[in-house]
Amino acid sequence: MDKFVVRGGNPLLGTIKVSGAKNSALPCMAAAILTEDEVILENIPQVRDIETERKLLTSMGAEVELGYGRAQHRTHIKCAILSDPVAKYEIVKTMRASSLVLGPLIARTGIARVAMPGGCAIGGRPIDLHIKGLEAMGATIVYDHGYLEARTDRLKGAHIVFDKITVTGTEDLLMAATLAEGESLFENCAREPEVTDLAALLTAMGAKIEGAGTGTIRVQGVSKLHGARHRINPDRIEAGTFLIAGAITGGDLNVDCCEPKHLGALISKLEQCGVKIDVGTDHVRVRSGGELKASDITTEEYPGFPTDMQAQYMALATQAEGTSTVTENIFENRFMHVQELIRMGANITISGRTATVRGKTPLQSAAVMCSDLRASASLVLAALVADGETILDRVYHLDRGYEHFEEKLRGVGAQIRRMGDVFGKK
Ligand code: UD1
């Protein structure tokens, strides 16, 4: 199992480039199921979740060519024949986003068999809202030996009000609705940029969608979608992680090839912490503004502070003067990084959904364990300012969602290296 060895103390200086968003790429790859034509996606990040999705689509009969070596990280997907519309447990168990194939599979083939998902261990993470929505659209869904089996002749448009805002749930039903008979009206939808990105691809494929990026989405079903070419948005969570890396190390970092509009909540929070931020059209420069100041966060759906940045922000809060509270509203078990940060010397207590971080504490190097994707990033950030050499175990969690993370950080002065199997050979 790969490990990272990180020696703290260097301010990060220079320019670091952001890759395409994993959380946009995953639904966009699933959207290719909706047509027999070729879908070409650019700016696909080279991360393990994408490789898992490639395996998933290929196992169903799709042709997928991941073109990392070529310009734009271009990927070609052709689902001319879906001979086996099954998302097998062996593949799904490592990635919860596999449930994203449920909607497009049933919409295209009238049948889908999808193993109940695994993925990050950050709470129960049910998919009941995906199921309820598809049932409202006319699918019959039964649970069979760890698999959901969905059947229908053709999905019918429906009026669905999500009980709770769900990102992949919105995406799953949006894809299903594109090929349903008649109109679908979805309310209380996720407004995340990844939903908008998916809607842009679906529209390019011939779907009739209004309101993506707002809480209400209307879809007029069509009988067929066609191929399209689409460029995936920059990864706002990777960009945010680098902004915190610049801030925590007291560096001067230009985070390039990002979409600053998607980073509003984080940027204003960093400014409250005393960090200097210059926003350009496709880059954000972060500089030390002297001592970091404590500030509270509460995670919310977009455009609020993202849950996917909570762990990284907590690393920063350990280095801020004063007390910060970090309230996690989206997932019930997303404080697994806390114990590891405490082992590095942080002063953090948890009460229910709120962690109280008392700064500023010097962090010490230690052997720490990554527990999920964003927790891993948080520990790397802490290690960048720790005294000595931190060893992070189980970085396979990080490899699920960050492209060439250690190489990018090394390029701006971090002392970080990988030990163990080379990524991609496991
Ligand atoms: C997506 C992101 C993930 C991010 C999360 C919240 C992808 C691939 N993953 O995950 O990185 O942390 O959004 O921004 O895009 N819920 C239900 N029933 C459901 C679905 C969700 O109760 O059927 C609950 C969840 O348990 C959670 C909340 O709704 O408490 C939000 O989850 P959701 O938005 O669905 O997260 P994901 O789409 O899985």
Side-chain angles (χ1 to χ4, degrees), residues 22-24 26-27 49 95-97 99-100 122-131 164-171 190 192 194 236-237 300-302 306-308 329-332 334 353 373-374 400:
K22 162 186 91 78
N23 285 354
S24 280
L26 292 173
D49 273 5
M95 189 179 71
R96 176 186 151 79
S99 52
L100 278 169
I122 52 173
R125 306 193 78 173
I127 57 163
D128 56 309
L129 301 175
H130 302 230
I131 297 168
K164 193 170 182 179
I165 297 178
T166 158
V167 178
T168 49
T170 301
E171 292 164 348
E192 267 67 1
E194 294 75 29
R236 64 194 169 99
I237 305 301
E300 286 166 10
E301 292 88 2
Y302 189 83
T307 174
D308 283 354
N329 265 337
I330 308 294
F331 293 110
E332 82 268 22
R334 207 171 195 181
R353 285 180 173 268
L373 172 55
R374 307 303 171 185
R400 284 190 39 220

Side-chain angles (χ1 to χ4, degrees), residues 96-386:
R96 176 186 151 79
S98 310
S99 52
L100 278 169
V101 300
L102 186 59
L105 263 187
I106 183 152
R108 164 91 185 274
T109 68
I111 179 160
R113 206 172 137 77
V114 175
M116 290 295 282
C120 274
I122 52 173
R125 306 193 78 173
I127 57 163
D128 56 309
L129 301 175
H130 302 230
I131 297 168
K132 212 169 143 186
L134 290 171
E135 282 176 340
M137 294 172 81
T140 306
I141 302 186
V142 292
Y143 185 68
D144 175 39
H145 297 89
Y147 281 78
L148 290 172
E149 195 165 292
R151 285 175 190 271
T152 185
D153 289 335
R154 185 179 175 194
L155 291 172
K156 292 182 180 51
H159 178 191
I160 292 164
V161 182
F162 287 99
D163 294 338
K164 193 170 182 179
I165 297 178
T166 158
V167 178
T168 49
T170 301
E171 292 164 348
D172 207 10
L173 296 193
L174 175 58
M175 288 188 274
T178 59
L179 289 181
E181 191 183 338
E183 180 177 284
S184 295
L185 176 63
F186 300 123
E187 292 186 77
N188 201 26
C189 297
R191 292 177 287 162
E192 267 67 1
E194 294 75 29
V195 175
T196 318
D197 208 5
L198 170 66
L201 167 64
L202 292 169
T203 304
M205 292 166 70
K208 306 272 176 254
I209 301 170
E210 277 171 33
T214 74
T216 304
I217 303 180
R218 200 180 285 273
V219 185
Q220 299 293 340
V222 296
S223 55
K224 215 169 162 46
L225 293 177
H226 51 73
R229 179 186 285 255
H230 175 74
R231 185 171 174 83
I232 302 292
N233 270 337
D235 194 315
R236 64 194 169 99
I237 305 301
E238 185 196 16
T241 304
F242 292 150
L243 288 178
I244 292 190
I248 199 171
T249 60
D252 184 348
L253 197 59
N254 181 31
V255 178
D256 200 12
C257 307
C258 65
E259 177 46 88
K261 285 195 210 93
H262 297 164
L263 294 163
L266 177 66
I267 287 175
S268 63
K269 185 50 62 180
L270 288 176
E271 284 173 335
Q272 284 169 36
C273 292
V275 178
K276 284 195 182 142
I277 303 268
D278 299 310
V279 177
T281 46
D282 64 350
H283 65 271
V284 180
R285 181 178 173 196
V286 61
R287 278 176 296 157
S288 162
E291 285 290 315
L292 287 166
K293 294 190 284 263
S295 189
D296 302 339
I297 60 156
T298 298
T299 63
E300 286 166 10
E301 292 88 2
Y302 189 83
F305 193 96
T307 174
D308 283 354
M309 285 304 305
Q310 179 258 104
Q312 300 90 313
Y313 182 80
M314 197 168 319
L316 184 81
T318 69
Q319 299 308 296
E321 286 294 340
T323 299
S324 316
T325 59
V326 173
T327 303
E328 174 55 57
N329 265 337
I330 308 294
F331 293 110
E332 82 268 22
N333 186 22
R334 207 171 195 181
F335 281 147
M336 284 180 300
H337 43 287
V338 169
Q339 219 40 51
E340 300 302 288
L341 289 173
I342 291 173
R343 295 189 58 242
M344 295 177 73
N347 181 346
I348 307 173
T349 49
I350 300 176
S351 171
R353 285 180 173 268
T354 299
T356 303
V357 187
R358 291 184 181 81
K360 162 184 185 172
T361 35
L363 296 180
Q364 300 162 4
S365 55
V368 290
M369 192 79 84
C370 301
S371 54
D372 67 58
L373 172 55
R374 307 303 171 185
S376 317
S378 163
L379 296 177
V380 172
L381 294 171
L384 289 176
V385 290

